[in-house]
Amino acid sequence: MPYTLSKSRILAYLQCPKRLYLEVHRRELIQYSESSQVAFTIGNEVGAVAQEVLMPGGILIAYDRGLRQAVKSTHKYMGELFDTTLYEATFQTQNVQIRADLLSRRQDFIEVVEVKASTSVKEQHYVDCAIQYWVMQQAGYAPTTISLAHINKEFEYLGDGNYARLFEVVDLTEPATEHSAQVVAWVEQANETITGDLPRIEVGDHCTQPYACPFMQHCWKHVETVEYPVEKFPGLKKKQKQEILQAGYQDARDVPPGFIDDENLLARLNAYKSGSQIIPHTLQDELNSLAYPRYYVDFETIGFAIPVWANTRPYEPLPFQWSCHIEFDNGDLQHAEFLDTSGNAPMRAFCEALIDAVGEAGPICVYSNYEKTVLKSMQRRFPDLAG
């Protein structure tokens, strides 16, 4: 009897056959990253809001009694004379099963909406919907329309509990129908992978694209760590990196000078090899010209998929913490900080505390342009503090 394939298992196969094999036969090796765990939580939260916003009043097809009962319950509601709305409607054909996020049946019209926490339609979403379409079609319930609901990043939450415009719904019926012709081959290949030997696949970009693989710790454990990888060498163009890698150099410190003719990049390469710092005279002069006191500032922000504070947007970076080291001309350092843990919107208190800490004179030093970007957004949010 063939193993049961789910949509997620087919997607795993398309990303890397080895991932599918390990998911079926070596599940004890799964190690989800912290960012993946956060993504799962966000996805669940977004899905719950989508139910209330896009298709309220639906019936949840429970999965606690297993696949067979979930399929049976779905068929029961799909066969009733009355119109129905279902959450997690479950269908199976051959050895493939799927669960539809949102389903509405109005007589013979079947509308399916898949919900994603992204802010746009991505390539993998076409495949996602194609699998949904194919399974439902084979089960005798071909969707009349199948759409993808993603976060509308232009939505502004007013703090009133109204998320009616949080989602943008994109009709993917045509591409899903076209892609569905490929599903049969994907299913056959996935079945062959599961019943065969462990695929021999080297690590690479597919380990993180389109999703971080939960077997990275296992697959990468024998991969030698490169301290200064060529791929991360700043300033090198993509074509140069490819030429160096094809020549067999993995560590930037092993690259002969002949591959690089730019003086600044050569200086950087020599610094890598010698372990010495590069502090150009122009930078030294610039630093020496700075007045005192000097303020070294760092910000932390948070962005919610579902906005929780009034007048904020999905995934908008909202500052809640800053740290500031203050350097005086005698070499003394003082530290000031701000952290809001109240649960209330922290942005204004963040700004007011920062203004008090840095005063009106003295240079402010940051690591990148990020702090400036955040400050510009706060100027727009609080015009009275803009100056």
Side-chain angles (χ1 to χ4, degrees), residues 36-316:
S36 293
Q37 298 280 14
V38 170
F40 296 150
T41 300
I42 292 173
N44 291 335
E45 293 173 350
V46 169
V49 174
Q51 291 175 356
E52 297 302 316
V53 169
L54 300 176
M55 291 187 185
I59 299 168
L60 175 65
I61 301 298
Y63 206 78
D64 54 354
R65 295 174 62 187
L67 171 61
R68 182 174 298 181
Q69 185 58 47
V71 171
K72 184 178 179 180
S73 297
T74 299
H75 281 274
K76 169 183 173 293
Y77 288 113
M78 294 296 288
E80 290 183 347
L81 295 176
F82 305 104
D83 295 342
T84 187
T85 297
L86 301 177
Y87 306 144
E88 304 297 340
T90 308
F91 300 90
Q92 184 178 31
T93 184
Q94 301 175 38
N95 70 319
V96 187
Q97 61 103 354
I98 60 98
R99 307 193 79 196
D101 290 337
L102 307 175
L103 183 150
S104 171
R105 182 185 61 76
R106 300 291 180 267
Q107 296 182 357
D108 294 330
F109 189 95
I110 300 175
E111 177 188 6
V112 172
V113 178
E114 285 300 293
V115 180
K116 304 298 178 185
S118 64
T119 57
S120 63
V121 178
K122 302 184 184 300
E123 187 63 32
Q124 62 267 25
H125 297 155
Y126 294 103
V127 177
D128 187 305
C129 289
I131 297 170
Q132 299 282 77
Y133 183 91
W134 181 82
V135 172
M136 291 184 64
Q137 180 189 50
Q138 296 296 308
Y141 298 100
T144 310
T145 65
I146 185 165
S147 304
L148 185 126
H150 64 77
I151 298 291
N152 171 18
K153 61 184 178 182
E154 300 303 321
F155 166 72
E156 183 175 358
Y157 179 57
L158 301 180
D160 54 1
N162 184 352
Y163 293 98
R165 293 186 58 253
L166 176 62
F167 296 97
E168 183 175 340
V169 181
V170 182
D171 188 340
L172 297 184
T173 308
E174 184 175 344
T177 305
E178 292 175 356
H179 280 73
S180 67
Q182 301 173 266
V183 179
V184 174
W186 297 338
V187 171
E188 291 176 355
Q189 293 158 7
N191 282 327
E192 290 173 2
T193 296
I194 293 173
T195 55
D197 297 327
L198 175 67
R200 294 183 177 276
I201 298 176
E202 297 298 322
V203 298
D205 292 342
H206 57 273
C207 296
T208 55
Q209 299 297 328
Y211 305 108
C213 177
F215 297 100
M216 283 186 64
Q217 298 257 1
H218 170 71
C219 294
W220 285 74
K221 64 184 178 183
H222 298 304
V223 177
E224 183 180 352
T225 301
V226 178
E227 189 172 0
Y228 293 95
V230 169
E231 297 96 322
K232 302 294 184 182
F233 190 89
L236 270 185
K237 295 180 180 179
K238 185 176 181 180
K239 184 178 179 181
Q240 287 178 294
K241 291 179 182 179
Q242 290 175 341
E243 290 175 351
I244 293 171
L245 291 171
Q246 288 172 359
Y249 300 105
Q250 299 287 333
D251 194 308
R253 294 171 298 181
D254 299 330
V255 177
F259 282 91
I260 299 174
D261 54 13
D262 180 274
E263 290 186 7
N264 290 329
L265 294 184
L266 278 174
R268 188 173 296 156
L269 180 62
N270 291 330
Y272 274 36
K273 292 179 177 181
S274 66
S276 60
Q277 293 180 334
I278 300 177
I279 304 178
H281 290 298
T282 52
L283 176 58
Q284 265 185 339
D285 294 342
E286 181 75 18
L287 292 174
N288 291 334
S289 70
L290 296 179
Y292 290 94
R294 301 170 177 176
Y295 300 89
Y296 302 89
V297 176
D298 180 44
F299 293 172
E300 299 297 338
T301 62
I302 189 168
F304 299 101
I306 304 170
V308 297
W309 297 314
N311 307 118
T312 62
R313 301 180 187 277
Y315 296 116
E316 180 182 1

Side-chain angles (χ1 to χ4, degrees), residues 287 290-291 293-298 323-325 327 362-368 371:
L287 292 174
L290 296 179
R294 301 170 177 176
Y295 300 89
Y296 302 89
V297 176
D298 180 44
S323 173
C324 179
H325 283 87
E327 181 187 12
I364 297 174
C365 304
V366 294
Y367 182 74
S368 70
E371 279 74 15

Side-chain angles (χ1 to χ4, degrees), residues 348 351 355 375-376 378-387:
R348 186 171 186 94
C351 294
I355 291 169
L375 288 177
K376 285 182 177 178
M378 292 302 102
Q379 286 178 316
R380 293 189 293 270
R381 181 174 291 279
F382 305 116
D384 60 310
L385 301 180

